[in-house]
Amino acid sequence: MTEATPLFALSIVVPVYNGAASVPSLVEALARLEIPGRLEIVLVNDCSPDNSLDVCRELCRANNVALSVVNLSRNYGEHNAVMAGLSHARGAYIITMDDDLQNPPEEVVRLWRHASDNDYDVVYTYYAEKKHEAWRNLGSRFTNWCADHLLDKPKGLYLSSFRCMSAFLARQVVAHDGPFPYVDGLIMQITQRIGRLQVSHLPRAEGRSNYTLARLLRLFLSMFLNFSVIPLRVGTLVGVAMAGLGIFGFVFVLIEALLSEGAPQGWASLMAAVLLLAGVQLIMLGLVGEYLGRMFLTINKRPQFVVRDVLRNEKARAGEQIAVEVPTP
């Protein structure tokens, strides 16, 4: 088996959505970083409704740093866009970060060196204080709490989108072609060589967060349903508990009917029990249906992403012709 020699020491993958105002400042700051062994920036336009694509293409033409613009055919979501960026990144290490300037670009070098010096497959960042809205922070804490129980994740590890992974790990991650990727879930299935690094977090410089409650819910379902069968097991346990409660209630009603002169009244309690059991059954049917629906879409090969076109500047193209194949150790 052979693998291509990395053309860059570090690639930085940035999903872009409504980022026309912030991406130029981000690219300018990243281009000033001193990375021995060359730096590559990969901007992934997730079919942004503003003029982000035109801005990214102009940055590609005007910048001296190696820069590629991957243009997706429609909006697929952040994790799908990250998968597209990883598949086009050619660095020995790859950092993923948002386009909103809340992660200071100067932290990139610290993160890269921490990963390479300690031979980690992935390093996640965490913050002393997050500058998101209160509801975003609450949602992040809930998602990380669920990940502690659903994924094989080290306790206390914060799953940040500002992360650095090795080329080896990135190759394994992009080998997954399912339509509902959850990058952190894939990482946890592949490696346990995981580090963490505290970095700064800044208030959002431009606009507002692209994450709505619906987007966060879809992301949560990707983690909840794609990487664990625990929800089904919880449903089984709830069913067993409800069956036990029903048997207890049946015995109680039977004893009351035998010992009392009149029939038990209990209509309201009976209806409450029926509604409760029916509700639980419908929830479990919906959960099973969601699993089956995702399996159906996966079997029918719903695309994870479709790339309309890729633009690379001269610096990004330089070195492609000297890429060689080397045997895997």
Side-chain angles (χ1 to χ4, degrees):
M1 180 179 178
T2 61
E3 62 182 34
T5 302
L7 300 181
F8 302 90
L10 177 64
S11 296
I12 301 176
V13 172
V14 183
V16 178
Y17 188 81
N18 285 335
S22 58
V23 166
S25 299
L26 176 62
V27 170
E28 181 183 357
L30 293 176
R32 291 197 299 265
L33 299 178
E34 295 183 3
I35 305 294
R38 303 178 69 207
L39 168 71
E40 172 192 41
I41 301 173
V42 180
L43 303 178
V44 183
N45 175 52
D46 194 17
C47 201
S48 180
D50 65 357
N51 65 328
S52 290
L53 178 59
D54 294 333
V55 171
C56 291
R57 284 174 170 169
E58 182 58 32
L59 289 170
C60 184
R61 298 185 187 99
N63 253 277
N64 289 324
V65 68
L67 199 153
S68 302
V69 178
V70 179
N71 181 32
L72 302 187
S73 62
R74 53 156 291 176
N75 177 248
Y76 287 94
E78 180 187 0
H79 283 246
N80 299 64
V82 168
M83 295 289 281
L86 292 177
S87 67
H88 286 82
R90 298 164 295 168
Y93 282 87
I94 303 167
I95 286 178
T96 63
M97 64 188 304
D98 296 334
D99 63 355
D100 54 14
L101 292 172
Q102 290 194 266
N103 299 125
E106 54 268 20
E107 299 279 23
V108 164
V109 176
R110 286 185 60 229
L111 179 57
W112 168 59
R113 291 196 181 280
H114 187 66
S116 59
D117 292 348
N118 295 281
D119 198 27
Y120 286 123
D121 283 329
V122 62
V123 174
Y124 283 94
T125 60
Y126 66 99
Y127 316 110
E129 180 184 3
K130 290 186 66 178
K131 301 296 184 179
H132 287 313
E133 297 90 340
W135 70 272
R136 280 286 308 275
N137 291 335
L138 182 62
S140 295
R141 284 196 293 269
F142 176 71
T143 301
N144 273 272
W145 179 84
C146 291
D148 284 338
H149 296 83
L150 297 176
L151 307 178
D152 187 16
K153 178 176 83 72
K155 296 294 183 182
L157 179 70
Y158 177 71
L159 299 179
S160 168
S161 59
F162 187 32
R163 56 174 99 78
C164 180
M165 65 182 76
S166 65
F168 160 79
L169 179 60
R171 286 195 301 272
Q172 309 310 311
V173 168
V174 299
H176 173 77
D177 59 357
F180 305 102
Y182 181 61
V183 175
D184 301 310
L186 294 169
I187 289 172
M188 297 304 148
Q189 290 183 342
I190 295 168
T191 185
Q192 291 182 323
R193 290 163 61 174
I194 302 171
R196 59 200 299 263
L197 179 69
Q198 182 173 326
V199 297
S200 302
H201 196 247
L202 304 177
R204 191 177 181 89
E206 298 283 349
R208 54 186 300 179
S209 174
N210 293 314
Y211 264 111
T212 62
L213 187 59
R215 287 174 180 266
L216 287 173
L217 181 60
R218 285 198 297 269
L219 178 61
F220 173 75
L221 287 176
S222 292
M223 176 192 70
F224 195 66
L225 300 177
N226 288 17
F227 294 93
S228 177
V229 295
I230 289 180
L232 293 177
R233 293 174 182 170
V234 170
T236 301
L237 292 176
V238 171
V240 170
M242 288 297 178
L245 186 62
I247 293 173
F248 175 80
F250 173 77
V251 171
F252 177 80
V253 170
L254 181 62
I255 292 174
E256 186 178 2
L258 292 174
L259 297 181
S260 62
E261 294 182 359
Q265 300 299 310
W267 182 87
S269 59
L270 180 62
M271 288 303 298
V274 169
L275 290 174
L276 174 63
L277 291 173
V280 171
Q281 289 173 341
L282 289 174
I283 290 172
M284 291 312 303
L285 282 174
L287 187 61
V288 172
E290 185 70 23
Y291 273 104
L292 291 176
R294 287 171 179 254
M295 288 175 59
F296 172 78
L297 292 173
T298 301
I299 292 172
N300 280 274
K301 299 189 181 301
R302 174 177 171 171
Q304 187 180 95
F305 59 84
V306 176
V307 176
R308 185 178 298 278
D309 53 69
V310 178
L311 177 66
R312 288 194 171 108
N313 63 11
E314 185 177 351
K315 289 281 188 179
R317 292 193 301 270
E320 290 181 353
Q321 65 274 19
I322 62 172
V324 296
E325 297 291 317
V326 296
T328 303

